[in-house]
């Protein structure tokens, strides 16, 4: 049976238990298709469908590209593929990663908002960073509803707290009440006009995109690997580099916060970009430390060799070089420790939404 509503669920770290409890609370006759994205390693097998099958009355399986959406079924994003919905069908895509993930939450949310509009219910569960916030904003703008797990009881509060603070949730409930709250919202949104189902899929985008074109549609097209690049979106270069491909990033305007995409479509929220830059910087420091340690060791060996050859001046030069490298290495070690303490403090400090205020 075609679903009367579309439910899209996003989760990351700590999300499996929340998903299990949510599914357990859903009724067998839910008049909605439920699509789930859980951030998982791209090459790792996923046991999530089996877990959800055992947890509640609705059948769960990995989504298959092109299959029709049915009411009362759970479609789980398979590893390394974005899960999208279009014209009443499931779409799987190897499109550019968003916030470092594929599958990612935001592409699913945006595609559902585009197709189902006010008959969409988005659910944000436990997870780190702010994934799902931009997609949840798109759902709400299109008249859909947002349900958020209570951040105070989520294993990782960042995702639900970001969506709650920056978008504003219809309801914020504990995991035990998620299923019942979701069923109530589904019943409410089914009173909205049904989504339009075109007879055929639209053609891929061609040529330059005119200014003012709907950003939601264009970003969904990029996630679906259509022939479209970010420089065609009439957006401005940000002066920052993409952590995934090192290309230049463009700044996309929008609420609740600006976002960033490189030319080929890798997308970053402000918090995810900041975190990735921090990881890249720490990696660069470790490379520098390794190089300095090797330089110090090699200089010591050259000093010993110079002594054997009777070249005392050369030996002294090598010792000086070794000492300088060791001192620089000591400073870098201190910097790594200092940055680690800063990151620890930041993880317990205000979220991006609080900082924005």
């Amino acid at each position: 049976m075609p679903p009367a509503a579309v439910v899209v669920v996003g989760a990351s770290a700590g999300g499996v238990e929340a998903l299990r409890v949510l599914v357990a609370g859903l009724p067998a006759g839910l008049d909605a298709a439920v699509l789930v994205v859980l951030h998982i390693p791209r090459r790792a097998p996923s046991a999530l469908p089996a877990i959800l099958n055992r947890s509640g009355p609705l059948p769960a399986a990995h989504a298959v590209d092109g299959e029709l959406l049915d009411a009362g079924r759970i479609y789980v994003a398979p590893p390394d593929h974005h899960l999208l919905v279009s014209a009443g069908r499931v779409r799987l895509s190897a499109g550019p990663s968003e916030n470092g993930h594929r599958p990612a939450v935001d592409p699913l949310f945006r595609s559902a908002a585009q197709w189902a509009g006010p008959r969409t219910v988005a659910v944000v569960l436990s997870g780190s960073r702010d994934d799902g916030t931009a997609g949840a904003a798109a759902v709400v703008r299109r008249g859909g509803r947002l349900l958020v797990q209570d951040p105070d009881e989520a294993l990782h509060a960042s995702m639900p707290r970001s969506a709650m603070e920056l978008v504003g949730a219809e309801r914020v409930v504990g995991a035990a009440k998620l299923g019942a709250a979701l069923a109530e919202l589904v019943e409410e949104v089914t009173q909205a006009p049904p989504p339009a189902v075109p007879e055929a899929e639209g053609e891929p985008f061609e040529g330059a995109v005119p200014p003012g074109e709907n950003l939601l549609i264009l970003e969904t097209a990029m996630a679906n690997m259509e022939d479209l690049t970010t420089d065609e979106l009439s957006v401005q270069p940000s002066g920052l580099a993409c952590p995934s491909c090192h290309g230049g990033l463009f700044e996309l305007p929008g609420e609740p916060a600006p976002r960033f995409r490189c030319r080929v479509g890798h997308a970053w929220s402000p918090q995810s970009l900041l975190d990735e830059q921090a990881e890249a910087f720490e990696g660069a420091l470790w490379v520098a430390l390794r190089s300095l340690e090797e330089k110090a060791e090699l200089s010591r060996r050259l000093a010993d060799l110079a002594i054997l050859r009777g070249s005392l001046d050369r030996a002294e030069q090598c010792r000086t070089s070794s000492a300088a490298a060791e001192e620089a290495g000591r400073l870098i070690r201190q910097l790594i420790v200092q940055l680690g303490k800063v990151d620890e403090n930041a993880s317990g400090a205000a979220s991006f939404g609080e900082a924005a205020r």
Side-chain angles (χ1 to χ4, degrees), residues 173-226:
V173 299
K177 298 179 180 179
L178 281 170
L182 178 55
E184 291 175 5
L185 286 177
V186 166
E187 190 170 341
E188 292 177 14
V189 302
T190 54
Q191 306 304 315
V197 182
E199 294 182 1
E201 293 291 329
E203 293 297 318
F205 289 93
E206 296 181 1
V209 177
E213 189 69 44
N214 191 312
L215 191 60
L216 171 66
I217 297 173
L218 299 177
E219 288 197 272
T220 301
M222 293 183 75
N224 201 28
M225 284 295 284
E226 296 189 20

Side-chain angles (χ1 to χ4, degrees), residues 19-45:
L19 280 166
R20 190 190 65 76
V21 176
L22 182 153
V23 167
L26 294 177
L30 185 72
D31 195 5
V34 181
L35 297 96
V36 176
V37 164
L38 173 69
H39 291 157
I40 55 176
R42 295 187 186 180
R43 305 304 175 193

Side-chain angles (χ1 to χ4, degrees), residues 1-6 33 35 64-71 73 75 84-91 111-112 114-116 194-201:
M1 291 288 293
V6 173
L35 297 96
V64 176
D65 186 49
E67 67 179 321
L68 286 167
L69 289 177
D70 287 334
R73 287 188 58 192
Y75 302 82
L84 310 172
V85 55
S86 176
R89 294 181 181 271
V90 169
R91 293 297 180 208
S111 69
Q114 179 182 335
W115 179 67
V197 182
E199 294 182 1
E201 293 291 329

Side-chain angles (χ1 to χ4, degrees), residues 122-125 146-151 159-161 163-164 168-174 178:
V123 184
V124 179
L125 303 178
L146 176 59
L147 175 64
V148 171
Q149 181 182 6
D150 185 351
M159 270 179 57
R161 178 169 287 123
M164 182 181 71
E170 181 88 6
R171 300 188 190 182
V172 179
V173 299
L178 281 170

Side-chain angles (χ1 to χ4, degrees), residues 168-291:
E170 181 88 6
R171 300 188 190 182
V172 179
V173 299
K177 298 179 180 179
L178 281 170
L182 178 55
E184 291 175 5
L185 286 177
V186 166
E187 190 170 341
E188 292 177 14
V189 302
T190 54
Q191 306 304 315
V197 182
E199 294 182 1
E201 293 291 329
E203 293 297 318
F205 289 93
E206 296 181 1
V209 177
E213 189 69 44
N214 191 312
L215 191 60
L216 171 66
I217 297 173
L218 299 177
E219 288 197 272
T220 301
M222 293 183 75
N224 201 28
M225 284 295 284
E226 296 189 20
D227 188 11
L228 180 70
T229 56
T230 305
D231 62 320
E232 297 176 68
L233 304 186
S234 299
V235 290
Q236 297 298 317
S238 69
L240 304 173
C242 174
S244 293
C245 66
H246 308 296
L249 286 172
F250 297 83
E251 183 172 338
L252 278 64
E255 294 294 335
R259 291 173 294 111
F260 304 90
R261 278 190 185 271
C262 69
R263 179 184 179 88
V264 296
H266 296 124
W268 300 94
S269 69
Q271 186 61 54
S272 293
L273 180 60
L274 186 64
D275 290 347
E276 289 292 326
Q277 288 176 331
E279 290 184 14
F281 181 52
E282 182 179 333
L285 289 177
W286 283 109
V287 170
L289 179 59
R290 184 262 302 162
S291 298

